[in-house]
Amino acid sequence: MSSELLHDSGLIANPASTATLSDADADSLIAELALRGRAAQRVLAGMGEQVKADALRHAAAALRAAAPRVLAENARDLDKGRANGLAPAMLDRLKLDDARLDSIASALEAVANLPDPVGQVIDQRTVPTGLELSRVRVPIGLIGIIYESRPNVTADAAALCLRSGNAVLLRGGTEAVHSNHAIHAALVAGLEQAGVPADVVQLLPTQDRAAVGGMLRAAGLIDMIVPRGGKGLVARVQADARVPVLAHLDGICHTYVHSAADPVMARSVTLNAKMRRTGICGAMETLLIDASFPEASSVVAGLIDAGCELRGDARAQAIDPRIGKASAEDWDTEYLDSILSVAVVDGPEAALAHIARHSSGHTDAIITGDAAAAERFLTEVDSAIVMVNASTQFADGGEFGLGAEIGIATGRLHARGPVALEGLTTYKWQVRGTGQARA
Amino acid sequence: MSSELLHDSGLIANPASTATLSDADADSLIAELALRGRAAQRVLAGMGEQVKADALRHAAAALRAAAPRVLAENARDLDKGRANGLAPAMLDRLKLDDARLDSIASALEAVANLPDPVGQVIDQRTVPTGLELSRVRVPIGLIGIIYESRPNVTADAAALCLRSGNAVLLRGGTEAVHSNHAIHAALVAGLEQAGVPADVVQLLPTQDRAAVGGMLRAAGLIDMIVPRGGKGLVARVQADARVPVLAHLDGICHTYVHSAADPVMARSVTLNAKMRRTGICGAMETLLIDASFPEASSVVAGLIDAGCELRGDARAQAIDPRIGKASAEDWDTEYLDSILSVAVVDGPEAALAHIARHSSGHTDAIITGDAAAAERFLTEVDSAIVMVNASTQFADGGEFGLGAEIGIATGRLHARGPVALEGLTTYKWQVRGTGQARA
């Protein structure tokens, strides 16, 4: 992998972040950090649930106590960002204030209160030889997090990893480097008050781009990488990583309004699915309206009146003159904006075929009052999340009752959909015998 | 990836197997096969449990009916293998006869009788918004199997993939090419009798090495690759694959005889762990004897008298003059032979440290009558399988009551230890609402 890695991804907004390390030096650095993290993780694994929860509560308190320092460091990042011409949206993502810091600390406390998945017995059986088998959840090991400008990820991701017994190696965006170091210092101070080794939560000591390449190559040293950020970042990490990656690239989410949909529900749910927040991965990007649904014009008008631009096929355009013409690419586009593609389909078969072809496997929904149509949709749509009569914007670990999420995964192995503490564990088989030899 | 892939792995025993396809042509071939497999998998997914079981029973019957043809094709492979100077052990692995064919057919029937994991509800919850959430097991999609000379893998792997609702793309060893095609033809005939699309089980139509590279590069088309074969094959697949790989490389399994071990049990279990079959991944490769265990000489003599060569550290050598001297590499060696490394350790701490350093994370065992020592070992040893008072040779999906196994995994994500039908599934989230919009 060349040191050009992530060169043009959103990760590197700051041109001052260059690659000066050789790949070999980057690999050595990552190996050293990873071995320290893994050693700390083994110590943590022996400490039990209460210590992990206490460490997060201490970290929250330390972060609150460090507020003046964190905000001062954040101001340095903001000044630099303004000087470098960062866009206002980027500056807003970067910005911390008392309220945001307090909510980061509260999130640490909330994660401390989540049930610990480690030690859970997934299943148990006694086999004819008399061996007693249990599958027991254990931490994965060392998790790498590669993220962009939001400094809250430093705390959020660290908390989820620690709560599930893992060590974490963090690599945040260069724009937020001072904020991240200040938050990290507070977290570590809290951990140490609980007796947890500081190396459980490490922040890369350099912003050198080559070190990111080292993380992606570190198979066997880092067990899993979670990229948190825009599509450019995720695509590069997925393309270049030799370490397993937990992520989703696109959220091209569909809502299919079935012929038997309640018209009022269809209008309110589609409006929410698109317009509540247009920039999140669970936002609807394509609306499929059954040709037999009688109230299409009301659904479409609800969206247009709320300020959404609609791009449709010819039959959709016939519903409302304000609907523009969709191009072939629209059906595969994640707008993350007040834009929606709309197609009219002839029944469930056509809706399922459209979704099979264009969905990114994130979240797809049907609106229907017909139970059989609902069950068919739930069974046949092969996405991480399939919904009946609900807004796709519910695709979220918090809304799913998971407490928090490290991300949403559309890969097919390990964990799928919103990934929280359980997705940060693996299991081992414990076998208890009485001297059995195999025949 | 160059076409040199797998050049010197055990996969290519036959020098006639060359790479003449360009990488681009190999990628096109694999893409075509994968898309056919994926389309067939979607049809299979709609067919229900009974059809899958019936298809395997028809396949078993078809295989029995095709016995003369399969054995004739196997004879061609054997003739060619002899002409090419294949080792007797290799020829034995390749060889089929009526009894072996019958046992392959019986294995298909056994898999047909296993409970279907697809559709199982892993968990269910209703969240405060009133949404009802279920996590439901679904097939992974298309599995690639890359294997060596044993033709039974053609049937065994296909059966496990089909039973769990997946399509499979098989690439067997060149030495077994005629046998594999004959078995594959019988399987497909059976599937078609049950109405299952033939493309659910595909065998690569070429032995061209470049096609293997195409499989390994086919991220997004093949969901998971399972290499079945020797270390050379597994190492190459792990090193080069861009598709997730389920595998283990080494089985460096330890047995720790604790000070409180029952001496008779220690002798019988270690003898079985090493000598029952020396060539399997669950065979013990290192014996750790506690310095406080009083009957070390009996345990050691049991192994030596059974024909095992022992290589020890200085303290182990002092137990019996027949113990040779271990080199530093011995502690990291998977002998797969009647050879064992032996070390004397000072208590559980030292045993755990040795295992943490040298275990391959496959299977490690303690022999002890002390419950606390047993629980500590089960908790602290970070291997896929940890055992108390049992032979490491029990590390096997059949012995674990899983019915069969596609392999044993030492990776930390997705599935760990013996992997059977459940490990060939993923899950999706089904969300049932009543018109909820997100606040």
Side-chain angles (χ1 to χ4, degrees), chain A residues 111-147:
Chain A
V111 172
N113 291 332
L114 290 177
D116 189 353
V118 172
Q120 279 177 2
V121 178
I122 305 173
D123 64 47
Q124 231 165 353
R125 65 181 86 199
T126 301
V127 289
T129 49
L131 296 177
E132 293 173 21
L133 290 100
S134 320
R135 273 199 296 161
V136 181
R137 281 200 201 289
V138 298
I140 289 177
L142 176 63
I143 313 293
I145 314 277
I146 301 176
Y147 53 109

Side-chain angles (χ1 to χ4, degrees), chain B residues 66 109 297 302 306 313 404:
Chain B
E109 290 160 339
S297 60
D313 61 8

Side-chain angles (χ1 to χ4, degrees), chain A residues 42-413:
Chain A
R42 283 191 293 277
V43 175
L44 179 70
M47 296 185 113
E49 166 166 14
Q50 199 51 53
V51 175
K52 295 186 287 184
D54 284 348
L56 288 176
R57 291 187 191 107
H58 282 296
L63 191 60
R64 289 198 168 94
R69 158 109 195 157
V70 173
L71 295 179
E73 293 296 307
N74 184 245
R76 290 177 65 189
D77 286 330
L78 288 167
D79 286 347
K80 201 176 60 178
R82 279 185 213 102
N84 288 331
L86 277 195
M90 196 85 154
L91 288 170
D92 182 61
R93 264 180 251 163
L94 185 54
K95 183 179 166 55
L96 295 175
D97 55 27
D98 283 316
R100 286 185 176 184
L101 251 192
D102 188 65
S103 101
I104 294 174
S106 299
L108 291 174
E109 290 160 340
V111 172
N113 291 332
L114 290 177
D116 189 353
V118 172
Q120 279 177 2
V121 178
I122 305 173
D123 64 47
Q124 231 165 353
R125 65 181 86 199
T126 301
V127 289
T129 49
L131 296 177
E132 293 173 21
L133 290 100
S134 320
R135 273 199 296 161
V136 181
R137 281 200 201 289
V138 298
I140 289 177
L142 176 63
I143 313 293
I145 314 277
I146 301 176
Y147 53 109
E148 294 181 317
S149 55
R150 292 184 195 274
N152 65 299
V153 176
T154 306
D156 294 351
L160 287 167
C161 291
L162 187 153
R163 188 72 188 92
S164 48
N166 296 287
V168 64
L169 184 55
L170 300 160
R171 202 290 190 183
T174 296
E175 325 82 81
V177 63
H178 298 109
S179 312
N180 288 338
H181 279 282
I183 292 171
H184 175 253
L187 296 179
V188 164
L191 302 197
E192 289 185 324
Q193 281 171 47
V196 167
D199 286 343
V200 163
V201 178
Q202 292 181 92
L203 180 63
L204 267 192
T206 170
Q207 292 298 119
D208 193 294
R209 274 207 309 274
V212 178
M215 286 178 74
L216 299 181
R217 281 188 297 268
L221 289 166
I222 299 175
D223 295 297
M224 181 165 83
I225 286 180
V226 183
R228 292 282 300 259
K231 197 189 285 194
L233 170 65
V234 175
R236 285 302 178 96
V237 168
Q238 287 185 331
D240 290 333
R242 306 295 317 188
V243 175
V245 174
L246 189 89
H248 69 275
L249 188 60
D250 279 318
I252 303 179
C253 303
H254 297 73
T255 302
Y256 166 44
V257 178
H258 180 248
S259 58
D262 176 270
V264 174
M265 186 191 294
R267 186 175 157 115
S268 64
V269 170
T270 55
L271 184 63
N272 184 269
K274 179 72 239 181
M275 298 300 286
R276 174 186 162 270
R277 284 179 61 191
T278 55
I280 67 173
C281 58
M284 169 175 67
E285 303 292 10
T286 298
L287 172 65
L288 302 174
I289 304 182
D290 200 289
S292 305
F293 175 67
E295 304 281 350
S297 60
S298 156
V299 168
V300 159
L303 288 154
I304 297 172
D305 295 347
C308 186
E309 175 192 340
L310 266 58
R311 301 178 184 174
D313 61 7
R315 293 163 81 191
Q317 287 188 282
I319 299 172
D320 192 303
R322 294 172 292 175
I323 300 180
K325 185 170 161 51
S327 68
E329 301 85 68
D330 277 298
W331 314 112
D332 297 306
T333 299
E334 185 186 28
Y335 303 109
L336 297 174
D337 201 351
S338 303
I339 308 172
L340 178 72
S341 55
V342 194
V344 171
V345 293
D346 291 310
E349 196 75 31
L352 290 166
H354 182 106
I355 291 171
R357 182 155 170 209
H358 299 288
S359 170
S360 63
H362 188 295
T363 300
D364 296 294
I366 184 174
I367 313 295
T368 185
D370 180 318
E375 291 308 310
R376 181 178 178 195
F377 190 90
L378 289 173
T379 303
E380 295 194 19
V381 173
D382 187 24
S383 296
I385 305 170
V386 282
M387 295 182 163
V388 173
N389 295 335
S391 164
T392 55
Q393 300 237 352
F394 280 107
D396 173 88
E399 292 293 332
F400 278 28
L402 306 181
E405 68 180 29
I406 193 85
I408 293 186
T410 52
R412 302 188 69 84
L413 298 187

Side-chain angles (χ1 to χ4, degrees), chain B residues 9-310:
Chain B
S9 87
L11 182 67
I12 308 301
N14 185 341
S17 164
T18 51
T20 57
L21 284 174
S22 70
D23 281 2
D25 286 344
D27 289 346
S28 300
L29 170 68
I30 297 302
E32 184 195 325
L33 298 172
L35 292 174
R36 277 162 50 184
R38 301 183 82 82
Q41 191 275 328
R42 283 192 294 277
V43 175
L44 179 69
M47 296 185 112
E49 166 165 16
Q50 199 51 53
V51 175
K52 295 187 286 185
D54 285 348
L56 289 175
R57 292 187 190 107
H58 281 295
L63 191 60
R64 288 198 169 96
R69 159 109 194 158
V70 173
L71 295 179
E73 293 296 305
N74 183 245
R76 290 177 65 188
D77 286 330
L78 288 167
D79 286 346
K80 201 177 60 178
R82 280 186 211 99
N84 287 332
L86 278 196
M90 196 84 153
L91 288 169
D92 183 61
R93 264 181 249 163
L94 186 53
K95 185 180 164 56
L96 295 175
D97 54 28
D98 283 317
R100 286 184 175 185
L101 252 193
D102 187 66
S103 100
I104 293 173
S106 299
L108 291 175
E109 290 160 339
V111 171
N113 291 332
L114 289 176
D116 189 352
V118 172
Q120 279 177 2
V121 177
I122 305 173
D123 64 46
Q124 231 165 353
R125 67 181 84 199
T126 301
V127 290
T129 48
L131 295 176
E132 293 173 21
L133 291 98
S134 320
R135 273 200 295 160
V136 180
R137 281 201 200 290
V138 297
I140 289 177
L142 176 63
I143 313 293
I145 314 277
I146 301 176
Y147 53 109
E148 293 180 318
S149 54
R150 293 184 196 274
N152 65 300
V153 176
T154 306
D156 294 352
L160 287 166
C161 291
L162 186 153
R163 188 73 186 91
S164 47
N166 296 287
V168 63
L169 184 56
L170 301 159
R171 201 290 190 184
T174 296
E175 326 82 80
V177 63
H178 298 108
S179 311
N180 288 338
H181 278 283
I183 292 170
H184 175 253
L187 295 179
V188 165
L191 301 198
E192 290 186 323
Q193 282 171 47
V196 168
D199 286 342
V200 163
V201 178
Q202 292 182 92
L203 180 63
L204 267 193
T206 170
Q207 292 297 120
D208 193 293
R209 274 207 309 275
V212 177
M215 286 179 74
L216 299 181
R217 281 189 297 269
L221 289 167
I222 298 175
D223 295 296
M224 181 167 84
I225 284 179
V226 184
R228 292 282 302 258
K231 197 188 286 194
L233 170 65
V234 175
R236 285 302 178 96
V237 168
Q238 287 184 332
D240 290 334
R242 304 296 316 189
V243 176
V245 174
L246 189 90
H248 70 275
L249 189 59
D250 279 318
I252 303 180
C253 303
H254 296 73
T255 302
Y256 166 45
V257 177
H258 180 249
S259 57
D262 175 271
V264 175
M265 186 193 293
R267 184 175 159 115
S268 64
V269 170
T270 56
L271 184 63
N272 184 269
K274 179 72 238 182
M275 299 300 284
R276 173 185 163 271
R277 283 179 61 190
T278 56
I280 67 173
C281 58
M284 170 175 67
E285 303 292 10
T286 298
L287 173 64
L288 302 174
I289 304 182
D290 200 289
S292 305
F293 175 67
E295 304 282 350
S297 60
S298 157
V299 168
V300 160
L303 287 155
I304 297 172
D305 295 348
C308 187
E309 174 192 340
L310 267 58

